[in-house]
Amino acid sequence: MDILTLGEIKNQKLTRASLEVLSEAKRLANGKKVINVLIGNNLKDFSALISSYGASEILLIEDPSLGEFNSQSYSEILVNIIKEKKPALFLLPANIHGKEIAALVSAKLEISLISDCTDLKIKDNLLEYIHPIYSGKVIAAYQSLTSFQAAALRPNIFPLIEENPNNQAQIIHLSFIPQDNLKIKLLEVLKPKEETLEISEARIIVSGGRGLKEAENFKLLEELAEVLGAAVGASRLAVDAGWRDHQYQVGQTGKVVSPDLYIACGISGAIQHLVGMSSSKCIIAINKDPEANIFKVANYGIVGDLFEVVPLLTEEFKKILTN
Ligand SMILES: Cc1cc2nc3c(=O)[nH]c(=O)nc-3n(C[C@H](O)[C@H](O)[C@H](O)COP(=O)(O)OP(=O)(O)OC[C@H]3O[C@@H](n4cnc5c(N)ncnc54)[C@H](O)[C@@H]3O)c2cc1C
């Protein structure tokens, strides 16, 4: 069963989520081809890395007009490739761009799509998918009954395979004629005020809620995050209060994250927050209320005042990690 995957470039780097998708494709391919598509501008530098993650073919579609993401152009390119290559499965990351493309491609091809998939396996020659629904309260298992299916994989869930620098993928350049019927045009990319780690890619996240009381107090979390090499996230109430930008919001109306370690500081653990972080591999909660809901999903709980606990953690981690 050939598998088509989509690579994604951000800040001139292949995202970890794309490598996870490639890794999962390689695990499922069972000797069949993994074909990775890369769309953008100046793409040749990425081929070696994609190859080392087991791709058999790399399709490069390069054009200056593709340098910035455009869902219409990207999805039309993918639809044409899928029609020609006829893979059994199309995998891509379930992040902002990936989810948009997955929906467009599936609609255009009239195929089913499993979005935000957290597990994928082949049983009796049929694909089975796991996908959390109802804000993560229910885990749904699906079985594919069609010969072709698309799935967007939740980032930070699927482990990376070991790189094999000896693997040599075949590199194929496909031509692209810029379309003149674009319905959307990118005018400007608004960069965040300060460059901080992107939460959906981070392995460690230190997150703050209303317990932080004011924007300036996020500095405490930034200090801890710097020592740990972590990103700083926030609950919706912290975002609504204007303490943090929306791009750092974790939860139902923010981002779904699955880091190795999630440290929740002054966050009560409302269901809309839990749906965004409960698949983290290890959760530490710091809250002064021993009854706080967040402790129900935490692996480790610290009942205490975050204004005392967080600086102590920063000090201790600094001692351990800098020695
Ligand atoms: C449709 C919808 C979508 C939503 N989407 C999201 C979403 O995406 N993400 C999200 O987060 N929420 C979302 N919410 C809001 C959610 O319901 C909660 O209101 C929100 O998560 C609560 O944020 P919080 O935990 O920061 O604040 P609170 O619930 O007020 O909790 C603050 C916590 O801080 C603790 N605390 C206070 N002072 C200290 C201290 N000094 N030391 C230690 N602990 C302290 C308190 O004990 C308390 O537990 C959504 C709600 C709706 C209705």
Side-chain angles (χ1 to χ4, degrees), residues 13-133:
K13 275 173 75 181
L14 262 174
T15 60
R16 184 186 158 96
S18 324
L19 299 177
E20 290 169 2
V21 165
L22 261 174
S23 299
E24 187 57 19
K26 186 69 189 162
R27 270 190 290 270
L28 289 169
N30 199 14
K32 294 282 180 4
K33 275 204 263 184
V34 174
I35 306 167
N36 186 81
V37 180
L38 210 52
I39 305 172
N41 199 22
N42 298 328
L43 301 173
K44 64 177 181 341
D45 293 349
F46 306 109
S47 301
L49 184 58
I50 296 174
S51 189
S52 72
Y53 275 88
S56 351
E57 253 179 49
I58 303 173
L59 307 182
L60 298 180
I61 302 95
E62 295 181 272
D63 190 83
S65 68
L66 297 171
E68 295 290 356
F69 175 76
N70 180 296
S71 57
Q72 191 186 343
S73 316
Y74 279 43
S75 58
E76 280 174 21
I77 292 170
L78 284 159
V79 165
N80 288 334
I81 292 174
I82 290 168
K83 281 183 180 162
E84 195 201 311
K85 294 278 174 187
K86 299 190 174 47
L89 182 63
F90 172 44
L91 297 179
L92 71 176
N95 50 22
I96 289 178
H97 290 166
K99 282 183 184 171
E100 191 177 347
I101 297 180
L104 282 168
V105 168
S106 308
K108 283 177 186 176
L109 292 169
E110 295 186 7
I111 53 166
S112 59
L113 162 69
I114 304 294
S115 193
D116 210 20
C117 174
T118 56
D119 196 13
L120 195 54
K121 57 175 176 273
I122 299 171
K123 207 171 155 198
D124 301 332
N125 274 334
L126 291 172
L127 275 160
E128 287 191 354
Y129 307 81
I130 298 290
H131 159 58
I133 56 172

Side-chain angles (χ1 to χ4, degrees), residues 209-260:
R210 192 153 61 167
L212 274 138
K213 309 224 177 340
E214 53 185 295
E216 285 64 43
N217 293 332
F218 262 88
K219 200 161 185 330
L220 289 178
L221 305 196
E222 281 159 11
E223 285 164 0
L224 175 57
E226 197 183 331
V227 174
L228 295 173
V232 177
S235 73
R236 174 160 163 180
L237 290 191
V239 170
D240 285 352
W243 303 345
R244 232 46 210 173
D245 192 85
H246 180 259
Q247 65 169 315
Y248 303 113
Q249 184 182 315
V250 173
Q252 186 181 320
T253 42
K255 288 183 181 153
V256 175
V257 296
S258 309
D260 293 338

Side-chain angles (χ1 to χ4, degrees), residues 209-211 213 235-237 249-254 266-270 272-273 286-289 292 304-307:
R210 192 153 61 167
K213 309 224 177 340
S235 73
R236 174 160 163 180
L237 290 191
Q249 184 182 315
V250 173
Q252 186 181 320
T253 42
I267 293 177
S268 58
Q272 296 90 352
H273 188 80
I286 305 165
N287 199 304
K288 64 179 186 185
D289 173 8
D305 185 339
L306 72 91
F307 295 100

Side-chain angles (χ1 to χ4, degrees), residues 136-288:
K137 284 188 210 141
V138 177
I139 302 293
Y142 298 88
Q143 191 178 57
S144 162
L145 301 174
T146 54
S147 57
F148 177 57
Q149 176 106 28
L153 307 189
R154 183 183 283 192
N156 280 334
I157 292 282
F158 295 88
L160 295 180
I161 55 169
E162 208 174 306
E163 281 185 64
N164 173 8
N166 297 326
N167 185 55
Q168 294 288 329
Q170 187 186 5
I171 298 170
I172 301 170
H173 292 263
L174 297 182
S175 59
F176 171 75
I177 302 160
Q179 295 144 293
D180 51 16
N181 66 339
L182 285 184
K183 297 192 183 78
I184 347 158
K185 187 170 131 194
L186 180 80
L187 296 179
E188 191 187 354
V189 177
L190 302 172
K191 300 259 184 228
K193 285 184 212 112
E194 49 206 276
E195 281 298 328
T196 44
L197 257 175
E198 158 64 28
I199 55 168
S200 46
E201 287 273 313
R203 314 301 297 157
I204 304 177
I205 298 175
V206 180
S207 223
R210 192 153 61 167
L212 274 138
K213 309 224 177 340
E214 53 185 295
E216 285 64 43
N217 293 332
F218 262 88
K219 200 161 185 330
L220 289 178
L221 305 196
E222 281 159 11
E223 285 164 0
L224 175 57
E226 197 183 331
V227 174
L228 295 173
V232 177
S235 73
R236 174 160 163 180
L237 290 191
V239 170
D240 285 352
W243 303 345
R244 232 46 210 173
D245 192 85
H246 180 259
Q247 65 169 315
Y248 303 113
Q249 184 182 315
V250 173
Q252 186 181 320
T253 42
K255 288 183 181 153
V256 175
V257 296
S258 309
D260 293 338
L261 177 62
Y262 188 88
I263 307 180
C265 310
I267 293 177
S268 58
I271 181 66
Q272 296 90 352
H273 188 80
L274 299 188
V275 63
M277 44 65 75
S278 54
S279 58
S280 305
K281 287 165 199 87
C282 179
I283 298 169
I284 300 178
I286 305 165
N287 199 304
K288 64 179 186 185

